[in-house]
Amino acid sequence: MLVRLLYASRVVGGMNQELISDILAKARKNNPSAGLTGVLCYGGEIFLQVLEGGRDQVNAVYGKILRDPRHKDMVLLEYGEIAERHFNNWTMGQVNLSKLNPSVLLKYSSLPQLDPYTVSGKASMALLEELIAIASIVGHA
């Protein structure tokens, strides 16, 4: 059974390239053997991440993220069974939202900045799906 999980968190200790690189490297190393795919978006001090894969595997990884001291203010935005993956092209794609046209963020939020704490999970997922459509996700399978 495939599931999709979408969560948001705030970074502890400040966002920096070393942190992003470490998270992506670990995901890209571990996700293929677990059958996981997804995307990590980041902007300001906020992470927005979607994970797709088997229910047990997605829940196990989310449990590890919940215990990761680099994250705080974790909130589960969406979780459910899916018929097919939307993010199957990436073991862990990435989007640096500071490099995105602000109008894309404004389409889904009251301000042109990433703040999944003030919008619905559906709006956050719609943003991620648009990022696929406009080819803003970088990374590799």
Side-chain angles (χ1 to χ4, degrees):
M1 171 187 310
L2 289 175
V3 299
R4 180 179 301 123
L5 182 148
L6 176 65
Y7 78 89
S9 68
R10 290 188 171 91
V11 68
V12 173
M15 189 76 70
N16 60 65
Q17 191 55 49
E18 181 180 335
L19 172 66
I20 300 299
S21 296
D22 183 58
I23 290 171
L24 291 169
K26 286 180 181 169
R28 290 173 177 157
K29 177 184 175 204
N30 298 325
N31 286 359
S33 63
L36 296 173
T37 56
V39 173
L40 175 68
C41 297
Y42 50 94
E45 299 298 309
I46 295 177
F47 289 119
L48 178 67
Q49 185 172 31
V50 63
L51 298 168
E52 294 177 326
R55 181 174 48 198
D56 292 343
Q57 293 83 0
V58 167
N59 282 297
V61 168
Y62 184 60
K64 288 179 184 178
I65 295 168
L66 284 169
R67 295 184 297 276
D68 188 329
R70 299 175 293 189
H71 297 271
K72 66 179 182 179
D73 303 332
M74 297 279 298
V75 63
L76 181 63
L77 299 171
E78 280 200 345
Y79 178 88
E81 296 175 7
I82 57 174
E84 62 184 25
R85 298 174 195 246
H86 288 190
F87 302 93
N88 54 295
N89 290 328
W90 303 278
T91 56
M92 188 50 59
Q94 66 175 314
V95 178
N96 180 346
L97 293 172
S98 67
K99 297 182 178 186
L100 193 64
N101 185 326
S103 67
V104 174
L105 293 170
L106 191 58
K107 183 175 179 179
Y108 300 98
S109 181
S110 59
L111 296 171
Q113 61 193 32
L114 176 64
D115 191 355
Y117 295 94
T118 62
V119 300
S120 70
K122 291 196 183 315
S124 294
M125 187 57 70
L127 168 63
L128 290 169
E129 290 172 354
E130 177 150 344
L131 295 174
I132 293 173
I134 62 174
S136 294
I137 300 172
V138 296
H140 55 280

